[in-house]
Amino acid sequence: MAAAAGAVLRGLLRKRVSIQTASCRSFRTMSSQQQQKQNSSDSYETLKVERVRDKVLHVEINRPEKRNAMNAAFWREMVQCFRKIAEDPECHAVVLSGAGKIFTAGIDLMEMGSTFLMMPGEDTARKAWNIHWKIREYQETFTVLEKCPKPVIAAIHGACIGGGMSLISACDIRYCTQDAWFQVTEVNIGLAADVGALHRLPHIIGSRSLVSELLFTARKMMAPEAEKSGLVSRVFPDKEAMMESTFDLATEIASKSPVAVQGAKVNLVYARDHPVPQGLKFMAAWNMSMLQTEDIVKSAQAAMEKKTPKDVTYSKL
């Protein structure tokens, strides 16, 4: 009887060990799958993201075979990418460029042309409702650049057409090559620009008359005129020189206190959209907490020791 009981007990123990082993294997498999899924979320179909310098990310529109035309995946992935960058404490500045021969040809009409023409809805009101929310969704693709507290520097070469103008107008700083040209082409295809160019360009280019001319005629603006008007702040002889200087600028920005730089961006965007008294009130509310940062003490100490911000180690943000 005792022998039989022992045999049963040993069988139960072996079964328990077998179940535990299987559970561990299952857990390891699930963990591996989750890790693979996490890694895959870092890759994009239309964008290439690289950490090129300390605390500097390079986001490249990566459809050179399609002249970096903006397809459905691009509109979605830009939001995913910059929301992630906004929360990345290892990133303090971003460079945005285009792969291949040009910066971007704008919206991919071959793929996206039917999006609005074939919008579902049982009647005009329902179609309009769906179109409204689709436009709002596309507007977020570029607004996300402004919402990202990290400064975004656009590096433009060759053509920057249509939606590309809305894209760069949401960036904080714009550099270009001497062969770059800019064109808001929406009126040529029967619509008013609706994802940002029409609303942001008047705040960037000093002359409202010039903005209206560009929007109403869809004419090209060449690099020298773009620099003179304030659309870009520097022009370079070629893409290589531009990218090197852009990375240098991003590195310089990334060396500063992230509390100071990101606070400055947030308040610059707010000030653009509000009267001065409201902007000052917002700034006071912002800095009543941000002035208590240890970054001020570290920066002051470095200045007294004749050091630069590059010599200071600021905490992550």
Side-chain angles (χ1 to χ4, degrees):
M1 189 72 175
V8 172
L9 181 60
R10 285 192 295 274
L12 289 172
L13 287 171
R14 281 196 296 271
K15 185 176 181 180
R16 182 178 179 183
V17 169
S18 176
I19 291 173
Q20 289 176 334
T21 302
S23 297
C24 289
R25 288 174 179 167
S26 176
F27 177 78
R28 284 195 296 270
T29 301
M30 290 176 63
S31 297
S32 176
Q33 290 173 345
Q34 289 172 350
Q35 184 63 44
Q36 290 174 0
K37 185 177 181 180
Q38 179 66 35
N39 291 339
S40 67
S41 69
D42 295 341
S43 61
Y44 302 96
E45 179 184 331
T46 65
L47 303 174
K48 182 180 178 182
V49 182
E50 292 183 292
R51 198 171 299 276
V52 289
R53 303 270 184 93
D54 185 33
K55 298 183 178 64
V56 175
L57 285 180
H58 179 203
V59 178
E60 185 178 49
I61 308 172
N62 193 30
R63 298 188 75 210
E65 73 286 353
K66 297 292 185 179
R67 302 173 74 226
N68 294 326
M70 302 170 176
N71 63 354
F74 169 85
W75 296 94
R76 179 182 66 254
E77 291 179 345
M78 280 287 289
V79 176
Q80 296 170 347
C81 177
F82 277 90
R83 282 179 178 171
K84 183 171 182 179
I85 289 173
E87 298 177 355
D88 182 1
E90 298 294 340
C91 174
H92 288 186
V94 185
V95 173
L96 177 64
S97 71
K101 295 181 178 180
I102 69 170
F103 181 72
T104 178
I107 190 170
D108 189 336
L109 291 174
M110 295 297 292
E111 180 176 326
M112 305 291 293
S114 62
T115 299
F116 294 101
L117 296 177
M118 304 295 291
M119 186 63 65
E122 296 179 2
D123 57 22
T124 301
R126 286 168 175 79
K127 288 181 180 179
W129 184 267
N130 292 332
I131 290 174
H132 167 83
W133 288 110
K134 180 57 70 173
I135 293 172
R136 292 294 290 156
E137 177 185 322
Y138 285 178
Q139 288 172 344
E140 182 65 17
T141 295
F142 302 140
T143 298
V144 73
L145 299 174
E146 286 186 341
K147 290 181 177 179
C148 176
K150 321 299 172 66
V152 181
I153 308 164
I156 306 133
H157 74 289
C160 178
I161 303 170
M165 292 293 284
S166 293
L167 170 59
I168 66 168
S169 69
C171 296
D172 302 291
I173 300 169
R174 288 162 294 278
Y175 282 0
C176 78
T177 56
Q178 63 183 10
D179 68 343
W181 52 275
F182 307 83
Q183 188 176 23
V184 185
T185 55
E186 279 80 354
V187 294
N188 283 347
I189 56 174
L191 57 91
D194 57 5
V195 289
L198 193 150
H199 307 85
R200 294 187 175 100
L201 282 178
H203 295 282
I204 297 170
I205 296 176
S207 169
R208 191 174 185 88
S209 173
L210 177 57
V211 172
S212 297
E213 178 188 334
L214 294 171
L215 291 170
F216 298 162
T217 66
R219 76 165 176 84
K220 293 180 181 180
M221 172 187 270
M222 309 309 288
E225 186 183 8
E227 183 179 28
K228 182 179 178 181
S229 70
L231 179 61
V232 301
S233 49
R234 290 188 67 184
V235 177
F236 296 87
D238 53 48
K239 185 178 181 181
E240 183 180 358
M242 175 185 66
M243 294 307 299
E244 186 67 23
S245 292
T246 306
F247 290 145
D248 288 343
L249 174 64
T251 301
E252 178 70 20
I253 293 170
S255 72
K256 313 294 185 184
S257 159
V259 172
V261 172
Q262 294 179 39
K265 174 170 179 175
V266 169
N267 279 274
L268 274 171
V269 173
Y270 187 90
R272 181 199 64 191
D273 299 331
H274 297 81
V276 171
Q278 284 184 244
L280 291 171
K281 187 176 181 180
F282 183 83
M283 186 77 248
W286 181 275
N287 259 4
M288 70 183 185
S289 56
M290 295 302 162
L291 286 178
Q292 301 179 59
T293 176
E294 64 176 11
D295 292 10
I296 295 177
V297 177
K298 289 182 176 180
S299 299
Q301 182 67 33
M304 288 188 290
E305 296 175 358
K306 300 190 183 304
K307 296 179 180 179
T308 68
K310 294 179 181 179
D311 301 314
V312 180
T313 301
Y314 296 106
S315 299
K316 295 179 181 179
L317 181 65

